[in-house]
Amino acid sequence: ECTENVALLESQGRVLAEAVVADRDQPPFRRATRDGFACRAADVGGPLRIVGQIRAGDPASLNFPLLRGGEAVEIMTGAPVPDGADCVVMVEHVILDGGEVTVEPGRKMRAGDNIVPAGAEALKGTVVLPVGTRPSANHLGAAAACGYSQVEVYRRPRVAVLATGDELVELDAPVLPFQIRNSNSYSLAAQVAAAGGEPARLPVARDDPSAIEAAIRDAMACDLVLLSGGVSAGRYDFVETVLLSMGAEFLFTGVLMQPGRPVVFGRIRVCAGEYKYFFGLPGNPVSTLVTFALFVRPVIDALSGALPDSLRFVTARLAEAINVKPGLTRFLPAHMANGPNFQAWVNLIPWQGSGDLASTARANCYLVVPPDGTHLEAGEAVAVLLD
């Protein structure tokens, strides 16, 4: 089954497989948006006789008598506006005198002020959340307003996470001076889960073609395969060679960016008309993080059934001038924070290159430097990729 029914709150971050449709007009009546007095705009200027009170949730409110000229009714936010009234004057803008109310001198009212017409938000049968929506808090509120206690969602794609390299050891194993811990599997699994996928972390594959092929074949039980390491031009980088021997078709090999230049993307035919897609990500941890954000996440979105979405770039001011070499688009670990007047400012994180996880842990975004950028001045507007 590619879909399942889940409780509404459990759908957060999943992808809708059925549309959420308004089960009635929203609002179902003319709704007051302020506490105050409902009346006719044409009557504002003279004293109005108070003829009653309407509060939200009172069954009698829908049968309130027709409001006539010179009359006003006290009304609460969210309550139905009675027939005959065409505006609501805020309680802060009136003067009460016994059983009469007068709008402050000089204050004008227009028909429709502080009233939401029936059906103005959504008419019955309107699609409120289309198929492919990934529900967040505002979506869940909209679905709840339509009476959905459960929704149909797509199954999470299973994503294999396979690190390669003789130097890697698992976290619970002793680490020798020439070895490093398998951090990439954990950062990638976390990124997969955050993207709405179900990560399957596999054992490390050693730098041996037969071991790598066996591991890839195991990984192909998943919907998408992420390989980390072994895609550069080193003597023991066997991943691309093994994939070619398995009949892989490479859709791109390498990109003009740093970090992450060696990333590859392709597919392996498993039967007529059916393919398994894979990414070969660089082994350096920061390269893996960046290439996932740029290339892998959109593919997981597609496998999840999500609507196409753009990467999250924003503009900020550069806190300090920087110099870089031209020729590649660079995604540099940075920290963005708010300054005066709601202006965002971004600082580069000092780091030792794409293997420096400790420094990158202080970053919350990536500063994007275009390929023709060699010098960026302090205060200059720059592009930032949100993490």
Side-chain angles (χ1 to χ4, degrees), residues 94 198 247 269 315:
V94 302
E198 182 183 323
R269 186 171 179 267
T315 301

Side-chain angles (χ1 to χ4, degrees), residues 317-322 345-348 376-379:
R317 297 286 177 184
L318 188 60
E320 297 179 356
I322 62 171
W345 289 82
V346 62
N347 274 299
L348 278 185
L376 299 178
E377 292 284 357

Side-chain angles (χ1 to χ4, degrees), residues 24 28-32 38 51-67 73-85:
R24 60 176 183 165
F29 45 76
R30 293 193 306 151
R31 185 181 69 222
V51 296
Q53 182 188 86
I54 301 176
R55 59 188 179 87
D58 185 353
S61 62
L62 292 176
N63 299 313
F64 198 87
L66 177 72
L67 202 69
V73 59
E74 187 178 9
I75 195 166
M76 311 304 165
T77 300
V81 177
D83 291 341

Side-chain angles (χ1 to χ4, degrees), residues 161-250:
V161 176
L162 174 59
T164 68
D166 287 341
E167 74 278 18
L168 299 180
V169 296
E170 291 298 348
L171 304 193
D172 54 358
V175 58
L176 300 175
F178 58 88
Q179 295 176 318
I180 59 174
R181 294 186 175 93
N182 179 19
S183 61
N184 278 1
S185 284
Y186 288 87
S187 57
L188 274 175
Q191 286 181 297
V192 168
E198 182 183 323
R201 224 175 47 82
L202 303 181
V204 171
R206 300 301 165 198
D207 288 326
D208 172 78
S210 59
I212 292 172
E213 179 175 346
I216 292 174
R217 293 197 182 280
D218 287 342
M220 286 173 61
C222 294
D223 302 303
L224 178 66
V225 178
L226 304 184
L227 297 141
S228 171
V231 294
S232 296
R235 181 186 295 271
Y236 296 99
D237 290 328
F238 297 122
V239 167
E240 287 187 59
T241 302
V242 170
L243 288 167
L244 282 171
S245 72
M246 297 173 67
E249 173 189 1
F250 287 90

Side-chain angles (χ1 to χ4, degrees), residues 44 85 135 292 361 365:
V44 170
F292 183 98
C365 63

Side-chain angles (χ1 to χ4, degrees), residues 34-37 74 88-96 104:
R34 297 287 189 273
D35 292 333
F37 291 86
E74 187 178 9
V88 173
V89 186
M90 294 172 60
V91 68
E92 297 92 332
H93 298 159
V94 302
I95 301 167
L96 289 171
E104 291 175 339

Side-chain angles (χ1 to χ4, degrees), residues 21-26 119 122-127:
V21 177
D23 63 334
R24 60 176 183 165
D25 289 350
Q26 294 185 11
L123 294 173
K124 182 178 180 178
T126 300
V127 173

